[in-house]
Amino acid sequence: MKVFKGKIWAAIGSLMDHAGTASTTKSSSPAAAVPDRALLADIEAAIERCTGSSSGGGANDDRHVHEILFLVSNAPSAITFLSRRITARLEAARAPAAALRSLLLVHRLLRAGDRYFEQDFRGLWASRELRVDAPRCSCSPLAAAGGVVHYAGAGAAAVASGACAFVHGYSAYLEERMQWVINQAGNLEPARKPPPPDHDAAMLPPPPSSSASSSTSSHDASAETLLFKLAMCQRLLDLAIQLLPDNNTSASAAARSAFGIVLRESFKVYDAFAEGVDVMLLLLSRSLAGLSKPSRVTAHEILKKACAQTPELKEFYHKCKRSNASSKSLEYPLVRVVTPAHAFAMEMEPVTMIPIPEEDGCLQEEKVEAKAGAEAIDGGRGSSFAHKMETTISTVWVEFDDEDQKLITADDDHSLKAVQPS
């Protein structure tokens, strides 16, 4: 018995020694080690080169961004130091140009980093270690009167005000952009999942298990995911539309670079939105009754918002083509304007599929709206002439005797032919 107990204690001691050795090795690994001062100094210098006054948003800045990513990859824990230093520079910025360069660095790091860097970067933003909210840059004439910033004249104040508005709009765009990720196909998709159902619905007991109920719940879950993605697309596109810089702001190389990134991202977001709207209309046309009432309401609100947003987006892209802030070599998407006819079709059961017209199909849009209006009027009145009616004339053979034959006049003979008895 003593020998058996001794073996047990020896085995336990061996396991404890192995665990202690493993933990020591893990803590002493380069990935978990605290970055040294030299590495932090190199990161700080690279941040200065990206956000300094000499930064112009060109190819040299891309090289500095990749330098930062390389330095952080050698010590992953240094990403916290990177986030804090960028936040400190953004909060200390009093000129719109300095704040814009810090925001642009955040956007470029978010796009150029790998999947793990992007995940950690967004995690630091969620924990407020990285902040990209509106900086306290002094741009207005009231702030200038306080002695923080002085302008040479009214023209300089107007230029600063336009630049400050662009910085605040870009900051709001980045706040929303932090909730998106770049998937393996290189497209943007929302990082967050659809919000869970309300608490009351969650407390209800689950329905009895069956193939029909499981397919219905799966169908409704996929619809919720699609509707959530469409709503996220609309939010990001709204912020992009408001970001078109004026002529004075577009003179800044950093502003042109930031707007170019936003514009290219909006192309991908709109493509995802247009594809999602087609899927939503097809989904609703097949199984409107299978969707929950909140899903139908959300779908109707998305289409209602799209009726106002898609014409604005179309006009926004037209302005971008004429603006100096965007590159002339960009391939703009073909915006399909959503009309009120699509929102009206949502209220009908089953849903009537109405094709979304192309960008230049203005006449087609008017025809669709006129057709939908006529159908709405007919449907509301309950008229029996909603469809074209055809009449059929059947031939009746009638026999007359001699007295009746004499009463037939010449005019009646054209409309009725009598048949003589054989």
Side-chain angles (χ1 to χ4, degrees):
M1 180 65 68
K2 292 183 179 180
V3 175
F4 182 71
K5 289 183 177 179
K7 289 183 178 180
I8 292 177
W9 284 110
I12 294 175
S14 176
L15 288 174
M16 294 178 64
D17 293 339
H18 178 72
T21 303
S23 62
T24 304
T25 304
K26 182 178 179 181
S27 62
S28 61
S29 61
V34 177
D36 56 9
R37 294 180 179 272
L39 179 63
L40 297 181
D42 291 340
I43 294 176
E44 178 75 22
I47 294 174
E48 171 63 28
R49 286 190 288 269
C50 285
T51 60
S53 58
S54 60
S55 174
N60 289 333
D61 287 350
D62 291 337
R63 180 169 57 85
H64 299 325
V65 168
H66 289 291
E67 179 185 359
I68 293 175
L69 293 173
F70 174 76
L71 293 172
V72 173
S73 66
N74 291 331
S77 57
I79 190 174
T80 304
F81 172 80
L82 170 67
S83 302
R84 292 174 177 174
R85 293 310 301 159
I86 295 176
T87 301
R89 282 185 169 272
L90 184 60
E91 292 181 344
R94 290 297 178 265
L100 177 59
R101 289 191 293 267
S102 297
L103 293 174
L104 181 58
L105 174 59
V106 172
H107 203 172
R108 285 180 162 176
L109 288 172
L110 194 63
R111 290 171 55 86
D114 58 13
R115 181 166 56 92
Y116 300 103
F117 177 87
E118 181 187 24
Q119 182 178 358
D120 294 340
F121 211 44
R122 290 191 302 103
L124 290 169
W125 168 79
S127 64
R128 301 294 292 171
E129 292 285 350
L130 173 67
R131 293 188 293 275
V132 295
D133 47 358
R136 297 186 300 270
C137 55
S138 302
C139 310
S140 64
L142 295 178
V148 179
V149 178
H150 298 281
Y151 302 108
V159 172
S161 298
C164 191
F166 181 82
V167 168
H168 281 259
Y170 188 43
S171 172
Y173 178 87
L174 279 182
E175 285 281 351
E176 188 69 25
R177 173 63 175 81
M178 280 291 181
Q179 303 176 43
W180 292 70
V181 296
I182 301 176
N183 57 23
Q184 295 181 351
N187 298 321
L188 289 173
E189 63 181 17
R192 295 191 294 113
K193 299 299 181 182
D198 54 14
H199 181 70
D200 296 335
M203 294 298 294
L204 294 176
S209 175
S210 64
S211 59
S213 61
S214 61
S215 62
T216 302
S217 60
S218 175
H219 176 270
D220 196 57
S222 61
E224 290 288 342
T225 303
L226 175 62
L227 295 175
F228 173 76
K229 181 178 180 180
L230 291 176
M232 292 286 288
C233 288
Q234 289 182 323
R235 290 171 56 181
L236 198 63
L237 288 175
D238 265 344
L239 294 171
I241 291 174
Q242 305 300 325
L243 204 57
L244 181 64
D246 54 22
N247 293 330
N248 293 324
T249 308
S250 61
S252 168
R256 290 196 303 271
S257 179
F259 182 70
I261 296 175
V262 171
L263 195 59
R264 289 190 295 272
E265 287 184 346
S266 74
F267 295 166
K268 294 182 177 295
V269 173
Y270 172 72
D271 289 339
F273 174 77
E275 181 180 356
V277 168
D278 291 339
V279 175
M280 180 180 67
L281 291 175
L282 181 61
L283 184 68
L284 294 172
S285 66
R286 291 180 175 178
S287 54
L288 179 62
L291 293 180
S292 62
K293 183 177 180 180
S295 297
R296 295 197 299 268
V297 172
T298 303
H300 178 75
E301 292 298 325
I302 288 175
L303 284 179
K304 184 178 178 181
K305 180 178 176 61
C307 292
Q309 187 185 56
T310 48
E312 292 180 0
L313 184 64
K314 177 181 176 181
E315 181 63 23
F316 170 71
Y317 285 153
H318 281 317
K319 291 180 179 179
C320 291
K321 293 176 183 179
R322 301 190 300 265
S323 174
N324 296 326
S326 60
S327 174
K328 304 300 181 182
S329 60
L330 293 176
E331 295 184 2
Y332 289 82
L334 194 64
V335 178
R336 298 181 298 168
V337 176
V338 179
T339 64
H342 300 94
F344 172 78
M346 285 288 302
E347 301 175 356
M348 303 180 64
E349 192 172 345
V351 176
T352 304
M353 286 293 292
I354 301 178
I356 300 178
E358 298 295 335
E359 181 182 14
D360 297 328
C362 299
L363 183 59
Q364 184 180 357
E365 295 174 14
E366 296 176 357
K367 290 181 178 180
V368 171
E369 292 179 354
K371 180 180 178 181
E375 292 176 355
I377 294 173
D378 292 338
R381 294 178 179 175
S383 173
S384 60
F385 298 98
H387 303 283
K388 182 179 179 181
M389 301 179 62
E390 295 182 358
T391 58
T392 304
I393 301 176
S394 58
T395 305
V396 180
W397 298 92
V398 182
E399 295 185 358
F400 295 92
D401 53 19
D402 296 336
E403 295 295 332
D404 294 333
Q405 179 64 28
K406 295 178 181 179
L407 298 176
I408 299 176
T409 61
D411 295 334
D412 294 334
D413 189 61
H414 292 288
S415 58
L416 180 65
K417 298 291 185 180
V419 179
Q420 301 294 336
S422 56

